[in-house]
Amino acid sequence: MNIVLLGAPGAGKGTQAARISEKCGVPHISTGDIFRKSVADGTELGREAKRYMDAGELVPDEVVIGIVKERLAEPDCARGFLLDGFPRTVGQADALSGALAETGRELDSVIDIEVDTASLISRLTGRRTCRACGNITNVAGLANEPKACELCGGELYQREDDTVATVTHRLTVYTRQTEPLTDYYRSKGLLRQVDGNRSPDGVFEEISRIIDGC
Ligand code: AP5
Ligand code: MG
């Protein structure tokens, strides 16, 4: 199954992607994770991407598209893939459909997770991610903030772009540059919208109905 996950920053794309990837046995390809790894590894790509990420801006299309095309050509994508955070502009969406057509593939579903803005801000500012296993959690409202991952004991960290100021800008960028993709994919008959204002289990239940049979 070839799936795209759409949704604003904090909508729960990464949280649901881990579950979908496990259920369907397809690789989870997160452009944000690819850039964060490049930053951590100190590569030239990481240095370039960091300038945009820290400002809450999108990395230029010509940089992102090349990376995703290379990743989709890897053998593990032959039986399907799950894209999280790509495409994010109409230019990226056009490039994706071109790249898939060249290899005789097409998208099966574009799943758009919808969440109200107030929840997005509290989810993002309270998010913590495990440095070791990547598990995503949230500490908003907890009296004692956990320092270790509940799954593997690894160190929990806060993403540098999860400050209130950067989050607010990321949401504006999302509205301006990425939200038009809902109409883009609706017009192609691929869009499936999911109410993301429920528990992670509730959201996954609805997504599971969409990807039934994967
Ligand atoms: P990226 O890493 O993709 O960030 P994002 O799209 O802003 O989305 P997030 O990862 O912040 O949120 P999410 O939807 O994955 O939510 P999560 O599951 O973590 O991109 C980062 C940057 O990289 C961009 O700003 C840009 O600079 C660059 N970039 C990446 N891709 C690019 C592209 N294609 N083009 C150009 N630039 C690109 O959940 C969030 C929190 O909510 C967590 O704490 C979680 O525990 C909690 N939560 C999740 N689900 C629920 C629920 N149902 N109920 C309650 N809490 C929940
Ligand atoms: Mg994410």
Side-chain angles (χ1 to χ4, degrees):
M1 222 178 206
N2 302 331
I3 306 167
V4 162
L5 269 186
L6 275 186
K13 301 183 295 297
T15 301
Q16 296 301 326
R19 295 162 184 238
I20 298 168
S21 169
E22 192 185 341
K23 174 179 160 70
C24 299
V26 293
H28 169 201
I29 303 168
S30 157
T31 40
D33 287 348
I34 291 170
F35 291 138
R36 280 183 289 279
K37 179 163 189 319
S38 302
V39 172
D41 292 347
T43 65
E44 196 177 325
L45 170 67
R47 277 191 290 281
E48 185 182 1
K50 189 172 175 2
R51 287 196 287 132
Y52 296 97
M53 295 168 84
D54 285 353
E57 293 286 342
L58 296 185
V59 176
D61 280 1
E62 57 272 24
V63 176
V64 189
I65 289 168
I67 290 168
V68 173
K69 278 172 93 166
E70 271 181 28
R71 183 64 187 86
L72 290 176
E74 303 266 330
D76 65 336
C77 293
R79 287 183 46 248
F81 56 80
L82 172 62
L83 283 168
D84 158 6
F86 183 95
R88 256 172 148 101
T89 63
V90 170
Q92 292 180 17
D94 284 340
L96 174 63
S97 75
L100 292 178
E102 275 170 22
T103 49
R105 292 179 286 181
E106 56 184 24
L107 291 177
D108 294 300
S109 290
V110 175
I111 301 172
D112 178 30
I113 308 175
E114 297 184 294
V115 174
D116 67 76
T117 306
S119 305
L120 292 173
I121 292 171
S122 95
R123 283 186 188 187
L124 288 170
T125 50
R127 169 169 55 195
R128 299 294 181 272
T129 307
C130 174
R131 230 180 258 291
C133 75
N135 183 47
I136 301 165
T137 185
N138 203 288
V139 300
L142 297 182
N144 293 313
E145 186 179 323
K147 298 286 176 220
C149 172
E150 60 182 0
L151 297 187
C152 75
E155 180 203 354
L156 292 179
Y157 79 100
Q158 181 168 27
R159 269 171 49 176
E160 287 183 21
D161 58 350
D162 278 349
T163 59
V164 176
T166 310
V167 161
T168 308
H169 188 63
R170 284 162 60 200
L171 292 173
T172 305
V173 168
Y174 169 78
T175 305
R176 199 170 56 221
Q177 295 186 259
T178 307
E179 215 164 42
L181 290 183
T182 53
D183 281 342
Y184 177 101
Y185 283 120
R186 186 181 287 114
S187 72
K188 292 181 185 293
L190 288 170
L191 189 74
R192 306 297 299 271
Q193 287 181 303
V194 168
D195 178 6
N197 293 297
R198 293 169 301 162
S199 69
D201 285 349
V203 177
F204 186 59
E205 222 174 276
E206 195 174 338
I207 292 177
S208 294
R209 283 196 285 274
I210 296 171
I211 58 174
D212 189 31
C214 74

